[in-house]
Amino acid sequence: MSLSDTLPLQSPPARRLPHLGAALLLGLGLFAAFAPILATVDPARQDYGAILAAPSAAHPFGTDHLGRDMLARLGSALRLSLGLALLSVVTAAIPGTLLGILAAWRGGWTDRGLSTLADMVLALPGLLLVLLVSAVVPGSFLAIYGSISLVLWIEYFRITRASARAILASPAVEASRLLGFRPAYIVWRHLWPELAPVLLTVGAFGAATAIMAVAALGFVSVGLRPPTAELGLMMTELLPYYAEAPFVLVQPILAVFLLVLALNLVAGYRPR
């Protein structure tokens, strides 16, 4: 009997949680994609004759304090949050992973220089850095996206560097080097299979962090500007009307909760 046979395995309900998260994330993505078909009105179109209207055939999710259709606005806000999260994660993952592999591969001054750069960025709290950039360039999508990516790449760099150093010192990699295989082959054959599950987990957590950061910026009114449909901004706009229309306020809150929950469940995936 091997040692792995004696270790406790995940229970079936625990193994199903990542699949539940993936299904939930897929459902939210489909809703965001098909919302323009379900609600044909412009998310910014105001109707002062239907302010804070209850759900109806014309407005399945009701309307906000300016008579704007909540179905259209919620779909637009989800597309923005998911798109920004995906863009930020991809933009952070590529340089972070490549620099982490470079630092582990070369070592020496290259490793120390890149590690020092990462520590300098890490010295400033991530959300504070995003707030500072957003305050300098208020309402800019590019500024928010760039600052979030600047924060996220550090995790990819540090995890890749630590993991790659151990993998590159393994006998399998040493054998590949002695046989004359190129670095690209070593990265693809030895590094990537070991790094991919960890990086995908970091990516799921990073996407959740990006969504929370954008919502937090919108909630404190330093993020995107009206009439942009953004989940945090929608919460701020609807908060004064929670007594008259709580069903409207709960929608962006529930959307953020489900997005972050789905991504955290997906991050718990462990390939067998």
Side-chain angles (χ1 to χ4, degrees), residues 89 92-93 96-97 152-160 199 202-203:
V89 166
T97 302
L152 292 180
W153 78 271
I154 301 173
E155 291 300 321
Y156 290 96
F157 169 78
R158 297 177 70 189
I159 291 175
T160 301
L199 295 179
V202 176

Side-chain angles (χ1 to χ4, degrees), residues 107-165:
W109 286 105
T110 302
D111 185 13
R112 286 192 287 272
L114 291 173
S115 298
T116 301
L117 175 62
D119 291 340
M120 289 172 59
V121 178
L122 194 63
L124 191 64
L127 186 56
L128 179 58
L129 177 61
V130 176
L131 282 170
L132 288 174
V133 175
S134 300
V136 173
V137 192
S140 171
F141 177 87
L142 289 177
I144 296 174
Y145 148 69
S147 58
I148 292 176
S149 299
L150 184 62
V151 171
L152 292 180
W153 78 271
I154 301 173
E155 291 300 321
Y156 290 96
F157 169 78
R158 297 177 70 189
I159 291 175
T160 301
R161 173 180 171 271
S163 301
R165 290 179 69 178

Side-chain angles (χ1 to χ4, degrees), residues 181-268:
F181 288 108
R182 294 179 177 274
Y185 173 85
I186 296 175
V187 171
W188 180 253
R189 180 65 178 83
H190 298 287
L191 287 178
W192 179 246
E194 298 294 331
L195 293 174
V198 180
L199 295 179
L200 290 175
T201 299
V202 176
F205 281 124
T209 300
I211 290 171
M212 289 294 293
V214 175
L217 292 175
F219 189 77
V220 297
S221 302
V222 295
L224 299 176
R225 299 301 190 193
T228 304
E230 190 276 314
L231 295 172
L233 183 59
M234 291 169 65
M235 295 180 204
T236 300
E237 292 178 336
L238 295 170
L239 190 59
Y241 308 98
Y242 72 93
E244 294 90 337
F247 59 89
V248 176
L249 174 61
V250 78
Q251 292 177 35
I253 298 175
L254 183 62
V256 172
F257 171 76
L258 291 178
L259 279 173
V260 175
L261 175 64
L263 289 167
N264 278 276
L265 291 177
V266 170

